[in-house]
Amino acid sequence: MAGGGGFMDQSVLVVKNDRSVCERLAEHLGRSGFRVRWATSLVQAEALVFEAFGLLVVDAHLPDGDGLDFGQRLRCYMGCGVIVCVGKEDKALRIAALRGGADACLRAPVDPDELEATLISVHRCLHSPAPNPLPVLVPSPWMLDNRQLMLRAPNGRCIVANPLEHRLLLTLFSHPDRRVDRISLVAGLAEAAPGYTEARLEALVSRLRAKVVKKCGLRLPLVSSYGHGYRFDGYVRLM
């Protein structure tokens, strides 16, 4: 299927755990006029998100995290179309992906022609005339300066983190999907403050949120992850 002129400028980020599949899909889509970048893990994908992508193709499960969460985060910042790839028999996951905001869900192994047609369809839906279309923007990250223990918000304002706040943020920022369970967080904080408890962790998070709102004028995207721990929903960069 040849790509029409309206699709020639479309950029696609493909995130799948098989390098050969990524290369095959990139070659096919490239012949149809798409500009394709690809990654085989969330760590690699995160390094590419400071480019603007109009479309994302992502495996639901990746070696270092949850592709569904990654797709939701990328869509929040870029407004890109999201196509999630799941196993043939995983009906519950396909439903969860669509309910979670995916524009389409394809069964793996993905057929290149079907993927191309799906990308065109999603692009067409996202770019239909609208009263106030949103611009596609490269996300501004939350930056953590490890030397000065400083957290810089996307609006440029900063706070100086105390050692426990810094350790908490560093643990979350260093995790591929920015999500860490409470037990691991408490254990890490206990290395600096012996006898640390979950109650103290919750108090630390509450104080840090309030501190960021007061000093930076933004809500810290540090949220409770039900049944797991805490996750950081914003884009991040370590300095």
Side-chain angles (χ1 to χ4, degrees):
M1 182 185 297
F7 303 104
M8 294 297 287
D9 62 347
Q10 283 309 295
S11 54
V12 184
L13 175 58
V14 176
V15 189
K16 297 183 69 64
N17 59 19
D18 188 316
R19 179 188 180 95
S20 62
V21 172
C22 287
E23 291 175 339
R24 178 168 58 88
L25 293 178
E27 181 181 1
H28 179 92
L29 294 175
R31 288 198 300 267
S32 298
F34 290 93
R35 291 180 292 109
V36 185
R37 298 294 298 275
W38 56 266
T40 57
S41 68
L42 288 180
V43 169
Q44 293 177 6
E46 292 280 4
L48 297 173
V49 299
F50 296 101
E51 304 175 26
F53 292 97
L55 297 159
L56 169 69
V57 180
V58 62
D59 278 346
H61 297 301
L62 289 157
D64 54 353
D66 190 323
L68 300 182
D69 283 351
F70 176 73
Q72 289 171 351
R73 293 204 312 274
L74 200 64
R75 182 166 194 161
C76 286
Y77 282 96
M78 291 187 181
C80 62
V82 177
I83 295 93
V84 176
C85 306
V86 303
K88 287 185 176 181
E89 307 303 323
D90 208 335
K91 177 181 177 181
L93 187 56
R94 292 200 303 275
I95 293 172
L98 293 170
R99 286 180 173 171
D103 296 286
C105 197
L106 297 179
R107 296 182 180 184
V110 174
D111 177 79
D113 288 325
E114 183 182 7
L115 174 59
E116 180 187 344
T118 301
L119 288 170
I120 292 173
S121 177
V122 169
H123 172 273
R124 184 184 298 120
C125 290
L126 291 177
H127 292 80
S128 59
N132 296 298
L134 296 175
V136 175
L137 300 174
V138 175
S140 297
W142 291 81
M143 294 188 286
L144 184 63
D145 189 325
N146 283 322
R147 290 179 298 176
Q148 300 184 37
L149 303 189
M150 183 177 292
L151 176 69
R152 182 184 298 274
N155 62 5
R157 297 182 183 179
C158 302
I159 66 163
V160 176
N162 66 39
L164 291 179
E165 291 168 344
H166 174 261
R167 184 178 286 263
L168 170 66
L169 291 170
L170 180 60
T171 302
L172 288 163
F173 281 28
S174 300
H175 200 274
D177 63 1
R178 315 293 184 243
R179 180 169 55 182
V180 182
D181 62 87
R182 283 181 172 82
I183 294 176
S184 297
L185 288 172
V186 169
L189 291 166
E191 293 177 4
Y196 213 82
T197 64
E198 286 197 23
R200 291 181 65 184
L201 170 63
E202 292 175 5
L204 176 67
V205 169
S206 179
R207 289 194 301 270
L208 180 57
R209 288 169 175 161
K211 184 176 179 179
V212 170
V213 169
K214 181 178 179 180
K215 298 290 186 181
C216 301
L218 291 179
R219 181 186 67 85
L220 186 70
L222 174 55
V223 299
S224 298
S225 181
Y226 180 74
H228 188 83
Y230 287 98
R231 71 176 189 272
F232 198 92
D233 278 348
Y235 278 97
V236 303
R237 180 178 291 173
L238 291 172
M239 301 172 62

